[in-house]
Amino acid sequence: MTLPAVSPSLVQERKGLIESAVMGHSGVVNSRFEAEGRRRLKLLQKCNADPGARAVVLAMARLDPVAFLNDWVWLYEPRNPGRGLPARLPLTLRPRQADFVRWLQDLRKRRRNGLVEKSRDEGMTWIVIGYYVWCWLFESGFSGGLGSRKLDLVDKGGDLDTLFEKARFIIRQLPAWMKPQGFNEQKHSKEALLTNPVNHATIKGEGGDNIGRGGRSSMYFVDEHAKVPRADQVHAALSQNTDVIVYGSTPHGRANLFARIANQMTPGDPWPKFTFNWRDNPDKNYTLEIPALKGQGTEIVFPWYLFEKSKAVDVALFEQEVDISYDAETKNQIILGAWVQAALRYVPPEGTSLLPRTAGLDVADSGTDATVYASRAGPVLLRLEALLSAEAPQTVHELATRDSVRELKYDRNGVGASIAATVARRTDKAYDVQGVFNGGKPTTQTYEDSQTPANLRFANYATECWWRLRLRFQRTWEVLEQGAEHAPEDCISLRGLPAGDALNTLVPELSQATYSRVGTSDKLTVNKKGESGKSPNHAEAVIYAFAPSAEPVRPRRIPPVGPGAVLNSNGEFR
């Protein structure tokens, strides 16, 4: 394929517009912090002058950790002066951050362990420390544990990158009347230990193999857990130490306990998981319309993301730490993380969403698998929803009708056959139900990246379907990054999906599948679980939505299912 030349002047124009947008947004953020600083000063002055107001504020802070963090917690960010922002700034919780505080409270209420996966610089650690200080101030007998891969990251005097110096910094900013009576930092703040002399609450810290060895805790938080050596041994100790363990980290590949828990590869019930994605951060997810690289029209981009990525020396590391990619270093990925990011910002030409609509359904096998519905109009993914399996037939019909799809596709040699047959029997539907035979033979189609027909290239139809989706993502990336000419209907756009759990689940699933060559024929085969060992239900629903049309499923009667009934490959009980 010969790509059109990209004008150097256009590249410079785009770069200038992106940098201007980033600098301009920094000014907006700075103004917001200045306004918040003035508000807090007035609140402090009022409380200092009026004992009644002080009592009300203390009562509010005691009742609600979100109110405490929003009114009294300050942060320190040494990089800010170079960005035109103050180094000391008030913590103003974004909606996602407030949700996180409530999530921590809920873990403690239910005595559950939890895992936090995050893009870098989303404030997780500061919020956890602020929450710990709130517990330390207002909860008698609280004992909060803090850990990291080595003790110097937990506490090192004067180093605000450490967990305990963050806690001391927050306490130092509090007004005297909010600190514990008689609190003296020299007396009550030792290495990796903070003591409240009034209610005897403590915050204590440990590093490396000593995590969990220091006695009982009300709650224990381990920072950057994916990098903790011998994490299984540490976890065994912590399990005997506390009812509530919280592991927080950016991903660091899949060969660690953090990744196994995040991808539900550990025994027992899955851990509640909280995701801090940069796309949920209004200081990073603002958009800009700039000239397209191909020199015709415009495209919508995320200036912050492109600006930060342009500075990255290692793109794989950037995707790992910013895009929450567990597969940034995985070989033989079918769909690269960079291609997925391109699809997240690709806006097809106007009218593309009027193209014929289809939907895909991936039905849960068992256990923690999810039943997922996806719909699309041409290249645009319209909807992605996890469904309750018991209600799936009715819900699928309602969604397919609402989305005005012409075809609903599913894996006909899997457990989805019974649900699809139920939907197919409806007389009030305006769409065809079609089965995709994953284990069947590939087509004879030839794709642009090889002259070999699919049936001589792929081991089965499932691999061909994954590869078809791969090519959509690759074309989308080539359009945005290289100015290539591809028909919009041959690309894919995830731009319309709302931020949230479904999108956060889909993005890593798309990049987890790998390929290898098998047998004497040396054909390509897909390993959809990759290194995670988890079925990519959201991604497979998208696969089916974009699969080629097939013969519609014929409605058939489903007899009552008696004891010992077995579902055969055609979705019939025998």
Side-chain angles (χ1 to χ4, degrees), residues 66-79:
V66 170
F68 169 74
L69 268 66
N70 270 330
D71 285 342
W72 302 106
V73 171
W74 291 74
L75 314 177
Y76 179 78
E77 176 48 81
R79 296 171 296 180

Side-chain angles (χ1 to χ4, degrees), residues 303-541:
W304 175 86
Y305 181 85
L306 293 183
F307 181 74
E308 293 296 322
K309 192 169 186 177
S310 70
K311 300 186 298 180
V313 176
D314 187 333
V315 174
L317 182 61
F318 179 86
E319 290 178 359
Q320 177 174 277
E321 295 189 343
V322 176
D323 296 326
I324 315 182
S325 172
Y326 291 87
D327 299 295
E329 299 172 358
T330 299
K331 294 181 179 179
N332 294 345
Q333 283 175 269
I334 290 183
I335 301 172
L336 303 186
W339 300 350
V340 177
Q341 294 304 314
L344 285 164
R345 57 189 176 89
Y346 175 58
V347 180
E350 187 175 349
T352 308
S353 60
L354 300 178
L355 292 169
R357 299 184 171 201
T358 60
L361 180 68
D362 185 73
V363 179
D365 289 331
S366 61
T368 59
D369 277 0
T371 294
V372 183
Y373 168 91
S375 62
R376 57 112 172 183
V380 180
L381 200 61
L382 300 173
R383 186 191 301 274
L384 185 68
E385 289 192 21
L387 314 177
L388 295 174
S389 294
E391 302 172 2
Q394 179 62 27
T395 306
V396 167
H397 172 68
E398 292 173 356
L399 292 176
T401 302
R402 188 183 310 165
D403 293 339
S404 302
V405 303
R406 294 185 180 182
E407 301 166 350
L408 172 67
K409 303 169 189 173
Y410 71 103
D411 177 10
R412 75 176 175 88
N413 59 321
V415 294
S418 60
I419 289 179
T422 303
V423 177
R425 292 175 57 240
R426 299 188 68 110
T427 59
D428 58 342
K429 69 184 190 310
Y431 52 88
D432 288 332
V433 179
Q434 301 183 357
V436 175
F437 188 21
N438 279 338
K441 296 179 180 179
T443 69
T444 57
Q445 184 172 346
T446 299
Y447 297 99
E448 69 257 35
D449 63 334
S450 174
Q451 296 301 309
T452 304
N455 62 325
L456 301 178
R457 186 180 179 196
F458 303 117
N460 51 42
Y461 191 59
T463 304
E464 182 179 1
C465 285
W466 273 95
W467 209 266
R468 287 171 61 94
L469 195 67
R470 165 194 170 95
L471 293 175
R472 281 187 176 273
F473 278 100
Q474 184 175 0
R475 294 183 201 114
T476 305
W477 178 82
E478 289 174 352
V479 168
L480 294 185
E481 300 296 331
Q482 297 181 332
E485 297 286 350
H486 290 300
E489 56 267 29
D490 293 333
C491 298
I492 183 169
S493 174
L494 309 181
R495 173 80 179 175
L497 293 178
D501 291 339
L503 183 60
N504 290 339
T505 301
L506 173 66
V507 169
E509 281 189 0
L510 286 168
S511 295
Q512 80 177 36
T514 60
Y515 65 88
S516 59
R517 297 188 178 275
V518 294
T520 56
S521 62
D522 206 31
K523 291 182 179 179
L524 294 173
T525 187
V526 63
N527 173 14
K528 66 181 183 179
K529 296 182 179 181
E531 296 178 2
S532 74
K534 181 178 179 294
S535 182
N537 305 110
H538 289 67
E540 286 200 290

